[in-house]
Amino acid sequence: MRLLKVATCNLNQWAMDFDCNVKHIKESIDEAKRAGAVIRLGPELEISGYGCEDHFLELDTVTHAWECLKDILLGPWTDGILCSIGMPVIKDSERYNCQIMCYNRKIIMIRPKMWLANDGNYRELRWFTAWKLKDKLVDFQLPKDVAEALSQTSVPFGYGYIQFQDTAVAAEVCEELFTPIPPHAELALNGVEVFMNASGSHHQLRKLDVRLRAFIGATHTRGGVYMYSNHQGCDGGRLYYDGCACVVVNGDLVAQGSQFSLKDVEVVVAHVDLDAVASLRGSISSFQEQASYKTKVPSVAAPYSLCQSFNLKISLSSPLEIKYHCAEEEIAFGPGCWLWDYLRRSGASGFLLPLSGGADSSSVAAIVGCMCQLVVKEIANGDEQVKADAIRIGHYADGELPTDSREFARRIFYTVFMGSENSSEETRTRAKVLAHEIGSWHLDVSIDGIVSALLSLFQTLTGKRPRYKVDGGSNIENLGLQNIQARIRMVLAFMFASLLPWVHSKPGFYLVLGSSNVDEGLRGYLTKYDCSSADINPIGSISKMDLRAFLRWASTHLSYSSLADIEAAPPTAELEPIRSNYSQLDEVDMGMTYEELSVYGRMRKIFRCGPVSMFKNLCYRWGAKLTPSEVAEKVKHFFKYYSINRHKMTVLTPSYHAESYSPEDNRFDLRQFLYNSRWPYQFRKIDKLVEELNGDGIAIKESSGMGVVAAGSGNPKVGL
């Protein structure tokens, strides 16, 4: 038997914080060595942090990475253990995303990434060059100071593997796994038994299964040990890297790390039998045949043995049942961990949330409450870093520490109900009860006096005073009155966030949290510079349907029972007067349901549908309930308001990324913000198709029905 102990890890790195990142790398290597591992894999670009973006274009970033690597190699960390460490490297005039293979204080090989992530949230081709030379390894001259320190002038650079005396090991970096012809297929035929995938993979709802199936598929028919390492946490942007470091052997998961955690360093260890890999490969005839005429991959010889022989004192890692979180848990833990990283690294003393008592702001409040629960739990488990951060942020006296999530929430979380004459007593009460359950410092404020003062000023200047539509006013007056309330709430929120800590003799400032969801952003159902204009938004890329499911889950699992009543209430902005014959409802205002919005969003972004393609697809999807003319009107209605309101995405609060159809303009959804909202060419084509379908009398069978809602005023949402 050839027994091999390997270690992979989740690291909570911070872009451009080299001290922090090197500290975590050293801790992970120490922990791996204490566990007896002889291979340690870290995440992609772990020295600099993955999210450096245009900082990768600065020579300083590459220089600092070499300085940090030299510091690691001059110490005992790589003694007796193969370490794969990620960092940017410049060769000649090109910049590469590389894995540095180190052993016994020397660099054995540098492996540049060959296929770069360049879609969705990723822009690697902006900063790096893909390595294209596959048939040979080339010499790389180490920087002078590194060469002198290590007594090593050059190292092999390129695509290849390391041939040890008893096994072969190779890197496959993140995106390369998901390419049509991944490197591991060719490497396996060349005898590589251990694959190390250093990754920088962000969280997205329901995405983990795709990742794990890829690891399992990579080794199920080819055999092999597949190690996966990932970042975990917020490294400085909208993304949360969701860890889940793991080890897969011959298609079986044998070790799995956490997906959501407040830990800065988590090491996952597995003990595997490489003879099981050789045995599986020898039993597959097609593998043997293809290996016999393989394309030769270059290699580097390493005169070391990594394996142990048969020993009954060593327990092998057994196959595990894969642990998945449900979507509701992902909404609680992902944004909750992201908020904690943002809070502890921003210098802020807490959060302030305009809490309306509606589903969206209540979801944000529950996520902050979940964050507080996670903090207290980790402190109880002995995490010294979480304890130190919590004591600092909560301003605890010597000897004190958080032991109760509600008490901790009261120190770091303000909630404010900013009611008007249009607010109902039900929402006011729901906000108050939820704040009490979470433990936040809650304020109840009336904004009527400020609204009246502004309207009086306007009347003095113009001689006119606007009225609500239900009182005989026009749509313009009605919308203006709603916008005044929304923008006053934004101003008050930032005033409270900056001054309430001073009132309570607390140092620092509080971050204002936004609470608009992905569907409202897509439709533009929010007011520019209202309470959507916060510092950060933990739910800005989560759909209304998922949030409502989360509220039902959180009412039980987070012990915030009032969330059940909040979820059951119909969504409303409460910005117009309530009358016996009229009550403002979001879906009526929008002219579409939230369920329909999710469909529009996925078709627009994920399936890349323009108006005509969306119309054709929805004719199949909704054909059993709607005529082609009705489908056409819905598609036109959506694209009209999407294009009218697209400009709002340019100032959208930075939002936690969780949904693949996010309309966020800055990083993810790169489309213009000035449209011809009439879409004359596209809508004319839809009209022609409708005529043809009506003329042919074609009946379209339903594949998945949707609800129908009458078109309303189309006013943008201006509430909390």
Side-chain angles (χ1 to χ4, degrees), residues 11-28 46-49 52 61 64-65 67-69 71-72 77 264-265 345 385:
L11 297 187
N12 193 324
Q13 305 298 73
W14 191 2
M16 300 301 292
D17 188 340
F18 293 92
D19 285 340
C20 164
N21 297 344
V22 170
K23 175 176 178 287
H24 294 165
I25 292 169
K26 290 178 177 178
E27 287 179 8
S28 69
E46 59 184 314
I47 289 182
S48 59
C52 297
T61 304
H64 297 335
E67 291 165 348
C68 293
L69 180 66
D71 174 54
I72 294 170
W77 289 279
D264 283 340
V265 177
R345 290 172 171 172
Q385 185 62 57

Side-chain angles (χ1 to χ4, degrees), residues 597-719:
L597 261 174
S598 290
V599 173
Y600 298 144
R602 287 185 170 86
M603 286 192 169
R604 181 197 69 96
K605 179 66 178 177
I606 302 172
F607 299 104
R608 298 163 294 281
C609 287
V612 177
S613 296
M614 187 181 292
F615 165 74
K616 291 177 179 178
N617 277 278
L618 289 180
C619 278
Y620 286 106
R621 184 184 285 258
W622 293 346
K625 293 186 177 181
L626 301 175
T627 66
S629 296
E630 290 170 327
V631 173
E633 286 306 307
K634 284 184 170 291
V635 170
K636 291 178 182 179
H637 187 69
F638 165 71
F639 273 100
K640 173 186 175 182
Y641 283 99
Y642 158 76
S643 54
I644 285 174
N645 293 310
R646 178 66 184 172
H647 65 95
K648 295 178 182 179
M649 295 301 96
T650 64
V651 296
L652 189 72
T653 295
S655 302
Y656 178 98
H657 179 86
E659 181 57 75
S660 55
Y661 70 89
S662 169
E664 192 271 317
D665 174 73
N666 198 306
R667 297 287 196 281
F668 184 69
D669 188 28
L670 304 182
R671 289 169 168 83
Q672 73 268 37
F673 58 86
L674 181 60
Y675 283 89
N676 183 341
S677 60
R678 294 185 297 276
W679 297 80
Y681 183 87
Q682 295 90 333
F683 286 4
R684 190 166 64 248
K685 285 204 69 172
I686 291 175
D687 291 340
K688 185 177 180 181
L689 286 167
V690 170
E691 288 178 14
E692 293 172 355
L693 291 171
N694 288 339
D696 292 341
I698 295 174
I700 307 171
K701 292 186 178 180
E702 175 188 34
S703 60
S704 110
M706 299 291 293
V708 183
V709 64
S713 65
N715 288 341
K717 181 180 180 182
V718 285

Side-chain angles (χ1 to χ4, degrees), residues 343-345 347-348 385 387-396:
L343 178 61
R344 70 190 180 115
R345 290 172 171 172
Q385 185 62 57
K387 182 170 76 172
D389 287 331
I391 290 173
R392 173 178 54 84
I393 295 168
H395 305 292
Y396 285 88

Side-chain angles (χ1 to χ4, degrees), residues 204-274:
Q204 198 166 279
L205 295 178
R206 307 173 181 90
K207 175 186 172 185
L208 180 60
D209 182 57
V210 175
R211 195 188 299 160
L212 285 170
R213 279 191 281 115
F215 307 149
I216 291 168
T219 60
H220 180 70
T221 57
R222 302 179 186 93
V225 177
Y226 205 96
M227 302 169 61
Y228 172 78
S229 177
N230 194 16
H231 294 268
Q232 187 172 59
C234 166
D235 81 340
R238 293 161 172 78
L239 304 183
Y240 175 81
Y241 300 96
D242 60 336
C244 204
C246 60
V247 180
V248 174
V249 180
N250 291 352
D252 289 322
L253 181 78
V254 299
Q256 180 181 2
S258 67
Q259 189 178 9
F260 308 106
S261 173
L262 301 186
K263 294 180 183 297
D264 283 340
V265 177
E266 180 180 359
V267 176
V268 178
V269 178
H271 218 143
V272 301
D273 177 15
L274 292 183

Side-chain angles (χ1 to χ4, degrees), residues 29-341:
I29 297 174
D30 280 341
E31 191 169 333
K33 292 174 74 172
R34 285 196 297 271
V38 292
I39 298 178
R40 176 269 181 195
L41 172 65
E44 185 177 14
L45 295 167
E46 59 184 314
I47 289 182
S48 59
Y50 184 82
C52 297
E53 299 186 326
D54 280 1
H55 284 294
F56 284 126
L57 302 178
E58 301 167 3
L59 290 178
D60 278 3
T61 304
V62 180
T63 301
H64 297 335
W66 277 114
E67 291 165 348
C68 293
L69 180 66
K70 181 177 70 172
D71 174 54
I72 294 170
L73 289 173
L74 288 177
W77 289 279
T78 62
D79 291 351
I81 186 170
L82 174 67
C83 292
S84 180
I85 300 173
M87 60 177 265
V89 173
I90 294 177
K91 184 186 185 304
D92 299 327
S93 59
E94 302 93 41
R95 186 180 285 99
Y96 294 99
N97 174 349
C98 295
Q99 287 300 117
I100 317 295
M101 315 292 189
C102 308
Y103 191 85
N104 282 353
R105 310 192 188 199
K106 300 289 184 182
I107 300 173
I108 297 178
M109 172 184 174
I110 298 178
R111 164 68 154 83
K113 192 172 181 179
M114 298 187 297
W115 306 108
L116 301 177
N118 208 57
D119 53 10
N121 287 294
Y122 298 102
R123 303 284 182 277
E124 287 186 12
L125 277 171
R126 180 180 175 96
W127 310 300
F128 300 110
T129 300
W131 182 253
K132 302 174 182 68
L133 191 63
K134 292 187 63 178
D135 58 347
K136 63 178 180 179
L137 294 167
V138 300
D139 278 342
F140 176 82
Q141 298 297 313
L142 292 173
K144 182 179 178 181
D145 61 323
V146 177
E148 292 175 351
L150 303 182
S151 299
Q152 183 180 11
T153 58
S154 65
V155 296
F157 186 101
Y159 170 57
Y161 62 93
I162 303 175
Q163 181 65 62
F164 288 90
Q165 292 177 338
D166 47 9
T167 188
V169 180
E172 181 172 68
V173 189
C174 198
E175 178 73 11
E176 294 174 350
L177 168 65
F178 301 98
T179 56
I181 306 176
H184 69 255
E186 185 176 53
L187 290 165
L189 296 175
N190 275 266
V192 173
E193 294 177 310
V194 181
F195 306 96
M196 303 184 295
N197 189 312
S199 188
S201 184
H202 69 277
H203 171 241
Q204 198 166 279
L205 295 178
R206 307 173 181 90
K207 175 186 172 185
L208 180 60
D209 182 57
V210 175
R211 195 188 299 160
L212 285 170
R213 279 191 281 115
F215 307 149
I216 291 168
T219 60
H220 180 70
T221 57
R222 302 179 186 93
V225 177
Y226 205 96
M227 302 169 61
Y228 172 78
S229 177
N230 194 16
H231 294 268
Q232 187 172 59
C234 166
D235 81 340
R238 293 161 172 78
L239 304 183
Y240 175 81
Y241 300 96
D242 60 336
C244 204
C246 60
V247 180
V248 174
V249 180
N250 291 352
D252 289 322
L253 181 78
V254 299
Q256 180 181 2
S258 67
Q259 189 178 9
F260 308 106
S261 173
L262 301 186
K263 294 180 183 297
D264 283 340
V265 177
E266 180 180 359
V267 176
V268 178
V269 178
H271 218 143
V272 301
D273 177 15
L274 292 183
D275 280 355
V277 175
S279 175
L280 176 62
R281 290 177 175 177
S283 70
I284 303 172
S285 176
S286 59
F287 184 94
Q288 297 288 303
E289 291 298 317
Q290 291 185 358
S292 69
Y293 64 90
K294 60 184 174 291
T295 301
K296 184 64 178 175
V297 175
S299 62
V300 177
Y304 309 106
S305 295
L306 298 179
C307 300
Q308 294 176 286
S309 57
F310 175 69
N311 186 342
L312 281 179
K313 295 181 179 179
I314 297 174
S315 299
L316 293 179
S317 300
S318 302
L320 303 174
E321 182 178 348
I322 299 173
K323 181 180 179 182
Y324 292 109
H325 290 283
C326 66
E328 293 81 4
E329 290 175 319
E330 290 186 274
I331 292 171
F333 301 142
C337 292
W338 182 77
L339 283 176
W340 177 244
D341 279 346

